[in-house]
Amino acid sequence: MAERVLVVGGGGREHALAWKLAQSSQVQQVLVVPGNAGTANCGKISNSEVSVSNHTILAQFCKDHHVGLVVVGPEAPLAAGMVDDLMAAGVPCFGPSAKAAQLEASKSFAKAFMERHGIPTARYGSFTDPQEACSYIRSADFPALVVKASGLAAGKGVIVARDQDEACQAVMDIMKDRAFGSAGETVVVEELLEGEEVSCLCFSDGTSVSPMPPAQDHKRLQDGDLGPNTGGMGAYCPTPQVSQELLQQVREMILQRTVDGLREEGTPYMGVLYAGLMLTNQGPKVLEFNCRFGDPECQVLLPLLQSDLYEVIINTMSSKLASNVPVWQQDSSAVTVVMASSGYPGSYKKGVEITGLSQVQDMGLQVFHAGTALKDGNIVSSGGRVLTVTAVRSTLEAALQAANQGVAAIGFPGAVYRRDIAHRAIAHLNQHSRRLTYKDSGVDIAAGNKLVEMIKPLAKSTSRPGCKADLGGFAGLFDLKAAGFVDPILVSGTDGVGTKLKVAQACGQHGGLGQDLVAMCVNDVLAQGAEPLFFLDYFSCGNLNVEVAASVVGGVAKACEMAGCALLGGETAEMPGVYASGEYDLAGFCVGAAERGSLLPRLEDVAEGDLLIGVASSGVHSNGFSLVRKVLERAKLSYSSPAPFGKPGHTVGEVLLTPTKIYSRLLLPILRSGAIKAYAHITGGGLLENIPRVLPQQLAVELDASRWSIPAVFSWLHKEGCLSDEEMTRTFNCGLGAVLVVAPPDAQRVLRQLQVHDEAWIVGSLAHKQPGGSAVVVHNLKQSLLNASAGGQLEARNSECHENSITPRKRTRVGVLISGTGTNLQALIEQAKCSSSSAEIVVVISNRPGVQGLKRASLAGIQTRVVDHKLYGSRAEFDGTIDRVLEEFGVELVCLAGFMRILTGTFVKKWTGKLVNIHPSLLPSFKGVNAQKQALQAGVRVTGCTVHFVAEEVDAGAIIVQEAVPVEVGDSEESLSDRIREAEHRAFPTAMELVASGAVQLGEDGHIVWKQQS
């Protein structure tokens, strides 16, 4: 039986949707709400006046009128949860859920999501403070000139500034003058990307994606891309700038990765996904996501859809997209031209009569109505963008000509429109008809020459005796005699930096890789007792980014200076198609020399009882990063997350990219003294495989991990990855970058020499290897890793999360309510990450959109919701909405972390014993606001913080945890608040754990009950 379909919306996009759906033999009628003059009584299509803002009324209307499918056109109803509510009421509805629609509704959410899932996009910052945003604009090391209102702004909330002053003014217009209303409470400031902008859309059934032909919108009002930004003045499809190879890359790296990421986070995406892309030299990057058809892209896409749109939607909703791929017209192009009211995008006159529409249809063109209405039987203008005229022809030029002829035939006094839609594509096609050059294939010789000129002075600065380090020749020369050698043996080494490259590329921090590359090669050459003499690098990429390459090679040059060797030459290989856009690889080659009698290891001298001296590493160095990245994935940490290891204030990426230590200047004087019998560089293979490489087969290594300092990153990897001791010592250096073998009489002298410049320890000794015994035994490793965690490099409470400390248990589902930055939230998130934690944070709810706490939650992969108190008429209605969200996520415990709203008695009663708050004083002293100020005025010597169950009376509930903080002489309100906040970050996670585990409960008499834990 034929279906009745309802389309929500009233623009050109919705007219196109209704037009295409009406062509289906399976569709009886298409209702459009509210529609326009073009959808009023046009064959199968008619308008309806049912309310779409009240989803309950809409659902009942659909049931009463036997509507079998609702198709949502614009973004606002999707963000408002229309799909969720209609589906829950049993009305089939096409489009993503409200959670999935956050990709469009919150630009800050979308950026954090892309960061988590490695989807290429512009560098950015998200701000709720206009001064912080302006400071970011002026200090960023890239052109931070794109300013976006984070919320929905009808496609107009993006300003591309010409300079920093204009960008800062845009921030003020959005945040202070509220140019886009509440959508601008948070702004996203982005890097200005250069390239061609295209729209790549797809259907998604939650698992698979089916891309549509790429299209291109024209945002500027006037020809030549001049004038103000608009909602779109025209579009064309397909775009010849996007090859099939590039479209496949977009499908895999962006569209499919987005759908996969949402599914992994528990939010399957069903509907139309729109990726606005910039085709940069580094490959396609996402500018924005939309969660529906674009307008006017829809008006060129649907005329090219050969399949039945109704069937496509049903297959998508039934998860049958992969086996029923939509079919598109081949060898055809579509162009649509928007006709707008005079004065648009500013103020404009309505009610202007429009004529000549039937004549245009006789020309084989399709007119889609947007801002039109019926008045006294005539069609008149009622909006800014009024009509779109679409032509489908065999070529792009023919389609543009036909569309322009159609526009000229319409009587619309004062109409504004462009005549150059698709001008970029036509220029592209004309350009590609000329003779090809090497640059057309993707190899830019000029860029390569520019790079050489940039690095020549860097290489020259590494000159040393024996070598002038001048680049440009076919080969490099080195004079061993001039370097002072008498009877030299040459020693060579080559290496790379492994998948540490991936971390650097994801973080956009490339300079440190140069030191990693030099260190990996130089330290190997040192192990033979050789002095590093010269170095060569190999940099290979798909498309040469001169700035990135210069940063890497500049790092190589600086590291060569540190190592005392010359940068003698190198190779830059640009190989389009071999590497993905933005990716590159590195290799290094070092040649050193040692006098014939000074080579290492001196195997004949190495003996049982010799001592081992360990020299500190700087961290992970450059080995084991594939495993590191896997642990990060398990821990749901991104490279921009605050590091749970290392120095406070650093991100995960910054700590992991700490460069590898170069040991040549430290060790060469000691090696030449003859006191060192052997030296092992602890590289790939860790402690277990590298030390035996420099020892006689009959000897074994006894190491004591309690004798050296293990960096916190290894403790964290051990715990979060549930790695065995053997896996740790076979993969990582565990804090030792070099191990020296010395005779016992020489040990203290060598140790003192080392300790003048670096950390070093006597870490073990050599013993006779028993038959079948291990070549290396590491004692006390597990306890030493725990000590590294408890010793301040990780927060002490995290040491309770060791893999064997507590058996797995069912976790309590926690919801956190916030209003601001969420520093206490971060402490709760870190606690809940522990594998042995009894708490699982399932949702973070804020009463203010765009706050920093929401970004913290998004970066941790936690679902977020905004329940804006300003949108509710009463506290009871606001609290009721909070309650429904908590119920939706199955929350069992609610933590108030800086939540600045007073909850109603009804809410508190319902959540009694499951609702906890933190207060910055030792209750019952100093209740209410300004607790720190009250403490200072009262002259007390001790204050602190209190975590308590929430009661109807403010700050009067039963106390769970308190931590005292001394009031120091000269304390200001700010300094005291800072110390109390540190205490809160310890107390709140502890209290959450106590309640979540059941160790603490609220008794019927309102007092604390402690439960005996088994």
Side-chain angles (χ1 to χ4, degrees):
M1 187 178 77
E3 289 279 15
R4 180 174 282 118
V5 179
L6 186 143
V7 175
V8 177
R13 165 183 51 218
E14 287 73 37
H15 188 181
L17 285 166
W19 169 80
K20 191 66 179 178
L21 286 164
Q23 295 174 13
S24 173
S25 60
Q26 300 181 56
V27 174
Q28 170 194 355
Q29 183 184 17
V30 181
L31 300 175
V32 187
V33 185
N36 53 46
T39 55
N41 302 317
C42 179
K44 290 184 182 180
I45 305 170
S46 59
N47 293 337
S48 173
E49 296 182 359
V50 64
S51 169
V52 294
S53 59
N54 189 315
H55 299 170
T56 302
I57 292 174
L58 180 60
Q60 191 59 50
F61 173 89
C62 292
K63 292 177 180 179
D64 293 344
H65 292 79
H66 307 291
V67 172
L69 173 67
V70 175
V71 179
V72 184
E75 60 272 22
L78 296 171
M82 178 178 283
V83 173
D84 310 68
D85 294 340
L86 292 185
M87 295 289 281
V91 178
C93 188
F94 180 66
S97 66
K99 290 181 190 175
Q102 287 184 97
L103 275 180
E104 178 173 7
S106 171
K107 293 179 178 63
S108 57
F109 169 86
K111 297 295 283 191
F113 174 86
M114 287 186 272
E115 195 172 21
R116 286 199 302 277
H117 293 282
I119 297 166
T121 187
R123 292 173 284 183
Y124 79 105
S126 182
F127 305 95
T128 56
D129 183 325
Q131 297 303 328
E132 290 182 10
C134 289
S135 175
Y136 180 81
I137 287 167
R138 298 194 186 282
S139 63
D141 59 358
F142 53 84
L145 298 178
V146 181
V147 182
K148 298 181 177 181
S150 181
L152 295 176
K156 301 171 187 174
V158 179
I159 291 93
V160 180
R162 287 170 293 190
D163 52 40
Q164 293 178 348
D165 290 340
E166 189 174 307
C168 287
Q169 185 59 51
V171 169
M172 294 303 172
D173 290 345
I174 293 173
M175 303 191 79
K176 292 247 179 184
D177 299 341
R178 299 179 64 80
F180 304 110
S182 61
E185 290 184 357
T186 296
V187 297
V188 171
V189 179
E190 283 187 358
E191 172 186 13
L192 177 64
L193 298 177
E194 294 183 357
E196 193 85 23
E197 192 171 341
V198 296
S199 306
C200 288
L201 291 80
C202 69
F203 292 102
S204 168
D205 61 8
T207 301
S208 59
V209 297
S210 180
M212 306 181 198
Q216 188 174 65
D217 185 10
H218 294 64
K219 288 292 187 188
R220 296 286 185 176
L221 181 69
Q222 300 164 0
D223 287 352
D225 294 321
L226 300 175
N229 264 340
T230 69
M233 293 302 294
Y236 66 93
C237 178
T239 56
Q241 303 93 313
V242 180
S243 65
Q244 284 301 311
E245 181 183 18
L246 182 56
L247 185 60
Q248 182 65 21
Q249 183 181 341
V250 169
R251 175 179 184 154
E252 294 171 0
M253 294 183 61
I254 295 173
L255 300 175
Q256 188 66 58
R257 194 174 289 184
T258 301
V259 171
D260 289 346
L262 286 166
R263 187 178 69 254
E264 290 166 9
E265 295 186 6
T267 311
Y269 190 100
M270 190 278 295
V272 171
L273 178 62
Y274 170 132
L277 308 177
M278 185 70 81
L279 305 182
T280 74
N281 289 334
Q282 293 77 47
K285 294 187 178 183
V286 177
L287 296 172
E288 64 174 355
F289 282 119
N290 292 330
C291 295
R292 36 70 191 181
F293 276 107
D295 187 343
E297 290 94 339
C298 186
Q299 291 92 301
V300 290
L301 283 164
L302 292 185
L304 293 177
L305 178 61
Q306 195 167 310
S307 299
D308 183 320
L309 177 60
Y310 176 81
E311 290 183 0
V312 172
I313 290 174
I314 296 302
N315 288 331
T316 302
M317 296 177 68
S318 305
S319 300
K320 298 177 181 177
L321 192 57
S323 57
N324 296 274
V325 178
V327 178
W328 301 86
Q329 289 187 37
Q330 303 297 315
D331 302 321
S332 292
S333 294
V335 172
T336 194
V337 178
V338 173
M339 301 184 73
S341 297
S342 177
Y344 175 79
S347 59
Y348 47 81
K349 181 181 177 182
K350 297 181 181 180
V352 177
E353 186 175 345
I354 300 168
T355 60
L357 295 176
S358 59
Q359 178 184 345
V360 175
Q361 297 215 328
D362 292 341
M363 297 166 65
L365 306 173
Q366 183 62 43
V367 179
F368 294 114
H369 290 239
T372 63
L374 291 173
K375 183 178 180 181
D376 301 328
N378 297 318
I379 295 175
V380 299
S381 65
S382 64
R385 293 191 294 169
V386 179
L387 301 168
T388 59
V389 179
T390 300
V392 177
R393 297 291 186 268
S394 59
T395 68
L396 205 52
E397 292 92 337
L400 174 60
Q401 183 180 6
N404 283 339
Q405 288 172 349
V407 168
I410 294 174
F412 180 10
V416 178
Y417 52 89
R418 289 181 59 160
R419 299 165 181 80
D420 68 341
I421 302 301
H423 69 94
R424 295 189 200 88
I426 293 169
H428 173 88
L429 291 169
N430 291 337
Q431 178 189 20
H432 282 70
S433 65
R434 63 174 173 79
R435 292 180 178 178
L436 290 174
T437 66
Y438 203 3
K439 188 174 182 178
D440 292 323
S441 72
V443 179
D444 191 339
I445 296 175
N449 292 337
K450 179 181 177 183
L451 175 63
V452 172
E453 292 304 312
M454 289 175 69
I455 62 179
K456 270 185 176 181
L458 300 176
K460 194 170 184 64
S461 68
T462 67
S463 296
R464 53 154 293 158
C467 176
K468 291 184 179 180
D470 282 327
L471 301 184
F474 287 102
L477 306 176
F478 194 95
D479 186 342
L480 285 169
K481 190 172 183 180
F485 287 91
V486 177
D487 185 18
I489 299 290
L490 292 179
V491 178
S492 66
T494 183
D495 212 334
V497 298
T499 55
K500 192 171 186 176
L501 279 166
K502 287 284 192 182
V503 182
Q505 290 163 7
C507 296
Q509 298 178 24
H510 311 279
L513 292 178
Q515 181 171 329
D516 290 312
L517 188 65
V518 173
M520 295 299 288
C521 300
V522 163
N523 293 341
D524 280 352
V525 167
L526 276 173
Q528 304 297 140
E531 175 188 352
L533 301 177
F534 60 87
F535 188 87
L536 299 98
D537 68 274
Y538 179 82
F539 181 98
S540 55
C541 59
N543 297 101
L544 180 61
N545 182 315
V546 174
E547 288 73 23
V548 170
S551 178
V552 174
V553 180
V556 169
K558 290 178 183 176
C560 284
E561 283 191 79
M562 294 168 60
C565 62
L567 178 55
L568 193 59
E571 167 71 1
T572 303
E574 191 172 13
M575 298 183 284
V578 176
Y579 296 94
S581 294
E583 292 187 354
Y584 58 85
D585 202 0
L586 294 174
F589 310 87
C590 181
V591 173
E595 296 293 352
R596 193 175 299 273
S598 301
L599 289 170
L600 292 180
R602 302 200 311 268
L603 293 178
E604 66 282 2
D605 293 339
V606 177
E608 184 178 351
D610 281 346
L611 297 180
L612 302 177
I613 296 178
V615 183
S617 69
S618 59
V620 183
H621 280 185
S622 299
N623 299 104
F625 269 85
S626 295
L627 180 56
V628 170
R629 289 162 57 229
K630 196 69 178 176
V631 175
L632 287 174
E633 181 183 329
R634 172 183 283 192
K636 296 183 178 178
L637 281 182
S638 70
Y639 297 127
S640 64
S641 299
F645 42 77
K647 295 179 181 178
H650 286 67
T651 65
V652 169
E654 287 169 343
V655 176
L656 293 178
L657 290 175
T658 302
T660 307
K661 280 188 178 180
I662 298 174
Y663 295 113
S664 54
R665 293 194 185 273
L666 173 69
L667 293 183
L668 271 174
I670 303 173
L671 296 179
R672 288 168 177 158
S673 73
I676 307 301
K677 298 181 178 183
Y679 151 48
H681 176 206
I682 310 304
T683 178
L687 296 168
L688 297 191
E689 295 188 4
N690 284 292
I691 304 176
R693 293 167 70 180
V694 299
L695 301 178
Q697 291 186 356
Q698 70 273 18
L699 295 180
V701 175
E702 297 270 350
L703 294 174
D704 183 351
S706 67
R707 294 187 178 184
W708 75 85
S709 176
I710 298 180
V713 62
F714 295 113
S715 177
W716 184 85
L717 288 167
H718 181 234
K719 171 177 64 68
E720 288 294 334
C722 296
L723 304 180
S724 67
D725 290 2
E726 182 179 5
E727 197 66 37
M728 287 295 299
T729 50
R730 191 180 300 282
T731 306
F732 301 115
N733 64 62
C734 295
L736 300 180
V739 173
L740 312 178
V741 180
V742 297
D746 297 324
Q748 287 301 323
R749 175 172 57 84
V750 171
L751 185 63
R752 285 193 297 272
Q753 286 179 272
L754 291 169
Q755 289 175 336
V756 171
H757 304 286
D758 209 333
E759 287 186 289
W761 312 267
I762 295 176
V763 296
S765 61
L766 299 182
H768 181 70
K769 184 179 178 184
Q770 299 298 322
S774 299
V776 178
V777 177
V778 184
H779 301 286
N780 300 317
L781 180 64
K782 190 184 299 290
Q783 188 58 47
S784 296
L785 287 165
L786 282 172
N787 291 344
S789 172
Q793 298 181 72
L794 288 173
E795 290 194 14
R797 66 174 182 274
N798 285 353
S799 66
E800 298 169 8
C801 307
H802 189 259
E803 58 181 346
N804 296 320
S805 59
I806 299 177
T807 55
R809 66 187 75 184
K810 179 183 178 296
R811 293 189 169 202
T812 298
R813 297 174 68 83
V814 177
V816 184
L817 307 190
I818 64 169
S819 293
T821 57
T823 55
N824 271 323
L825 167 65
Q826 189 64 43
L828 298 178
I829 290 173
E830 296 302 327
Q831 174 63 29
K833 283 178 185 174
C834 298
S835 58
S836 62
S837 174
S838 298
E840 178 188 9
I841 301 176
V842 295
V843 65
V844 173
I845 305 171
S846 172
N847 67 301
R848 292 177 56 209
V851 296
Q852 182 65 20
L854 292 173
K855 183 173 182 181
R856 292 180 192 270
S858 295
L859 287 172
I862 299 170
Q863 293 284 344
T864 62
R865 285 289 184 90
V866 174
V867 182
D868 191 339
H869 63 277
K870 290 181 286 188
L871 303 179
Y872 295 84
S874 67
R875 285 171 54 201
E877 187 181 356
F878 170 71
D879 285 4
T881 304
I882 295 278
D883 182 63
R884 284 193 294 276
V885 176
L886 294 172
E887 293 284 0
E888 176 190 345
F889 284 88
V891 169
E892 301 165 288
L893 172 64
V894 181
C895 295
L896 307 183
F899 186 65
M900 306 303 291
R901 305 298 299 171
I902 302 297
L903 296 165
T904 59
T906 302
F907 185 98
V908 172
K909 283 179 182 177
K910 174 175 179 179
W911 290 91
T912 295
K914 296 179 286 184
L915 183 63
V916 298
N917 182 44
I918 190 161
H919 183 74
S921 77
L922 295 176
L923 293 175
S925 298
F926 313 128
K927 296 181 179 180
V929 297
N930 301 322
Q932 299 93 329
K933 185 176 181 180
Q934 292 182 58
L936 291 171
Q937 289 175 342
V940 297
R941 307 313 303 157
V942 175
T943 183
C945 63
T946 303
V947 187
H948 62 93
F949 286 109
V950 176
E952 289 189 59
E953 182 182 346
V954 174
D955 297 333
I959 293 170
I960 305 167
V961 170
Q962 288 186 311
E963 182 167 333
V965 174
V967 180
E968 297 177 356
V969 176
D971 252 339
S972 65
E973 197 173 333
E974 183 180 1
S975 62
L976 180 59
S977 297
D978 288 344
R979 293 205 310 284
I980 291 175
R981 194 173 297 113
E982 292 175 5
E984 289 179 344
H985 295 171
R986 296 186 292 271
F988 211 174
T990 300
M992 179 182 72
E993 202 64 41
L994 288 171
V995 179
S997 67
V1000 165
Q1001 296 179 5
L1002 184 65
E1004 293 182 0
D1005 60 355
H1007 292 92
I1008 291 291
V1009 177
W1010 288 86
K1011 295 288 185 179
Q1012 185 69 35
Q1013 297 296 294
S1014 57

